[in-house]
Amino acid sequence: MPTVQLPDGAVKAYPAGSTALDVAASISERLAQQTIAARVNGQIVDAMRPLEELSDADQIPLTLLTTRDAAALGVLRHSCAHVMARAVMRLYEGVGLAFGPTTGNGFYYDFDLDAPISEEDFPRIEAEMEAIVKDAEPFERFVLPREEAVQFVDDLHQELKTEHIRTGLAEHPALSFYRQGEFVDLCRGPHIPDAGKIKAFKLLSVAGSYWKGDANNKHLQRLYGTAFFDKKDLKAYLDQVEEAKRRDHRMLGKQHGLFTLTNDVGSGLCLWLPKGATVRALLEDFIKQELLKRGYQPVYSPHVGRVEMYETSGHFPYYRDSQFPPLFGHPAGQLVDYWKTQLSEGGLDEKSEADFLAAATDMGCDFSRYPKSASSDEKIVFLKAWEKHQERYLLKPMNCPHHIQMYKAQQRSYRDLPVRLAEFGTVYRHEQSGELNGMTRVRGFTQDDAHLFCTADQVELEFKDTLDLVKFVLQSVGLDDYRIQLSLREPGSDKYVGSEEHWAKAEATLRKVLEESGLPFTTAEGEAAFYGPKADFMVRDAIGREWQLGTVQLDYNLPERFQLEYIGDDNTAHRPVMIHRAPFGSMERFVGMLIEHFAAAFPLWLAPEQVRILGLNDDMQPYCEEIQSQFRAAGFRTTIDRQSANVKKKIRDAQLDLIPYMAVVGPKDQGAGGLSLRDRIDGDLGFMNTADALTKLTQERDTRQIRQLVKTEFQGFQGGDEEANEY
RNA sequence: GCCACCGUAGCUCAGUUGGCAGAGCAGCGCAUUCGUAAUGCGCAGGUCGUCAGUUCAAGUCUGACCGGUGGCUCCA
């Protein structure tokens, strides 16, 4: 007979076999209606399971989770995923089930299905789901011992489930299933008591995915949806999605002439139009001033570097697939490189080889000693030797090797350290075509990069200062909601360079400084760079979305690979430690994010056009120019609206162009030696003399005031863990 | 790169079963000269992403390619 302890401390015994639902019913009928799941020992569990199964404690600590608990939302959504899968199975033949977990904002289910599902099919799938919800059939859990479970799954003819149960779940002695009507799924649960609890749901999108996330595996169709306890919550969520669309930087960037992308230049190659370039230049100037104060030194480096340098750093071999191919100094370089690859992949026929030799000779190669009759390996050795004497350049994918060469350009003493080299360095990466996205994912971008070279003793302090810099920079643009992600190695992986000892030291140092900093941080294994751990700034924008922006990375490995040294106070050589850091990350990405954060309504100090001067009629032109020159002299970016239109139209245009201030001038203003100031946010401020207006605007600009930020407080009502609920 | 969807004027979009390519905004011209979110009239603007194919006839149907969007995979 289970005894239950509720959160309010009440202790009560219940008949054997009682469930959380029974407990709820014993309190009130209404509570039983609203109970979605329960929490026992911190675990979220089915409300319809006998309590003895869940805990063998004398007093079972039980929390009922109702429609008011965010934690129950994940349960609801996962059950909704089952309902969706059931609907899809009713409507399509031969549906293979994969996984169907919850996500931060909803759920998805992956299907192996020949017939393509498109958004046009959503209404009938939703209608079928509606019918299932209306039937309000219960979710029934049952457990089978491993052998029986395997047999049971075999009989369901669900190949992916069969595979998963044999590989992914090979260690599980018993497996749980959930049945809802004719639909049965291998599932860890928990689920809601019955489908009738789903009051609001919607299918969102369809996309491709891979079985177990591996691109080599079977391609699946993924159906995304979301569900809520209440139609109001669903509407709030959909409004949020609309708001995000309204702020899309690709649309706003086009609309406000900030940047453009055209296939004539190339995909992923961003053109900064004057207005966007102004925002970027202001940010760059701002950070340059700050770096000067913090003892950084400016440097410049070219856009290409020898492949060998990137072989030393490890970037070239590690990221070969996502770089633009090397530029060859010798005309035959590309040909030789191609030939070498062919040989390593099994070689080509004699004729091709003869063609290659002829072509290479034509291009001026002396291949008289090419070992025609030798093995592929020997031929590769020859070609490699040839290549070794040729120049090959890479469009630089990273700035660090260049800065490292600067460090090496002179002998360094411990007295010189730390050396802090800063550059807005433009780098090129051949991102996969499917990854490109407006300004936030491009193939050529500029990092506000710097590399700090310091002694082992200085690492902590330098790292701390760097965190402080990023904090300061984010604050200055009004981004004060962020966390830091401590990105660590993936245990047991061989994709990293450097010794165990260096990694352990680097990770421990990062963790120590972060703990001492008091900044909120989370850890993420497997997210480190290949040469060292990182502290990534995850910044929340005005509508609650997270962006990975600035980064600080600790690196013991590149100094080793490039044999960096400084002479210590003991007159012997020591190895410095490097810190890589970029507060904005990439200018493209950062400005893209800012556009969405401000919905293109930049604060005065960042606005591409700060003041627009609107004459009441065409006769005011000379006075408009007079006012303009006064604003320009005070450093403001202004234009005059020269349309032959009435002032209402000019104001409307300026408002739509999101200009922070308008100076409306007519005969009255001219007579009184001033202007009528209009604020984008507060509207007409009335007459002001020009000096007062300048003082007011100068103050707002120089303190980098952010007067308006349209925040929507919808923080997702995020339910459940982001872990897969499926096995 | 993979899967699904999309590509018509500078921008946002309409275009019936294949039958002469449309609107609004922006632009230009003329008139208007106005006090806080659209003055009126007119004009111009397109090889319908590209290339092939089917057809008497293709924006519309088919294929390939290019580009974009949503995801997947990737992100130094």
Side-chain angles (χ1 to χ4, degrees), chain A residues 99-153:
Chain A
F99 293 134
T102 53
T103 63
N105 291 319
F107 61 85
Y108 65 80
Y109 211 114
D110 283 343
F111 301 105
D112 176 15
L113 177 61
D114 291 336
I117 297 178
S118 81
E119 298 198 5
E120 286 165 22
D121 302 317
F122 287 3
R124 63 192 195 106
I125 298 173
E126 285 173 335
E128 195 62 44
M129 290 170 71
E130 205 69 68
I132 294 167
V133 168
K134 194 154 169 262
D135 289 344
E137 286 173 304
F139 281 84
E140 296 166 295
R141 179 178 191 273
F142 60 94
V143 177
L144 297 177
R146 183 169 181 81
E147 288 313 305
E148 279 178 56
V150 170
Q151 184 59 48
F152 185 78
V153 168

Side-chain angles (χ1 to χ4, degrees), chain A residues 500-716:
Chain A
E500 169 61 33
E501 182 204 346
H502 280 158
W503 273 92
K505 189 156 58 169
E507 291 185 350
T509 309
L510 281 194
R511 189 182 287 276
K512 175 161 179 276
V513 176
L514 281 175
E515 273 164 4
E516 287 170 3
S517 74
L519 293 164
F521 76 96
T522 55
T523 57
E525 285 187 346
E527 295 295 312
F530 74 89
Y531 49 73
K534 311 187 283 178
D536 294 318
F537 279 72
M538 315 295 283
V539 180
R540 213 174 263 284
D541 73 5
I543 58 169
R545 295 169 302 175
E546 259 195 355
W547 301 74
Q548 185 178 328
L549 300 174
T551 179
V552 183
Q553 307 172 2
L554 192 48
D555 179 6
Y556 288 87
N557 289 315
L558 291 186
E560 184 82 30
R561 295 189 142 227
F562 282 96
Q563 304 279 300
L564 299 187
E565 287 180 350
Y566 67 89
I567 306 301
D569 58 2
D570 57 358
N571 198 28
T572 65
H574 297 267
R575 187 126 296 155
V577 183
M578 268 177 85
I579 293 173
H580 309 238
R581 39 104 289 174
F584 290 141
S586 119
M587 298 312 295
E588 282 74 3
R589 188 176 165 73
F590 192 82
V591 171
M593 188 238 63
L594 270 195
I595 292 170
E596 305 210 357
H597 178 64
F598 289 122
F602 291 102
L604 185 63
W605 79 280
L606 281 174
E609 184 183 345
Q610 296 167 303
V611 182
R612 185 172 294 174
I613 300 155
L614 317 180
L616 206 63
N617 57 49
D618 290 352
D619 296 339
M620 297 311 298
Q621 287 302 326
Y623 188 61
C624 285
E625 277 162 31
E626 205 179 299
I627 295 285
Q628 182 180 45
S629 62
Q630 283 176 280
F631 272 95
R632 280 196 173 150
F636 286 99
R637 301 177 287 278
T638 88
T639 62
I640 298 170
D641 186 337
R642 292 174 196 277
Q643 291 183 95
S644 166
N646 65 30
V647 74
K648 278 164 149 335
K649 166 71 169 156
K650 293 180 183 178
I651 286 171
R652 181 181 150 84
D653 287 349
Q655 290 282 155
L656 292 176
D657 288 346
L658 305 170
I659 314 300
Y661 286 101
M662 284 151 261
V664 179
V665 295
K668 283 187 237 165
D669 305 290
Q670 183 170 21
L675 50 91
S676 293
L677 196 64
R678 186 188 160 94
D679 179 359
R680 172 177 73 197
I681 301 160
D682 295 335
D684 189 6
L685 302 179
F687 176 81
M688 256 185 223
N689 70 51
T690 312
D692 290 347
L694 284 172
T695 308
K696 173 180 161 61
L697 266 58
T698 304
Q699 208 269 340
E700 179 177 335
R701 175 191 66 190
D702 293 350
T703 54
R704 290 191 283 268
Q705 241 188 86
I706 293 162
R707 295 183 44 224
Q708 185 191 45
L709 199 56
V710 188
K711 283 210 186 204
T712 48
E713 288 305 330
F714 186 92
Q715 295 290 324

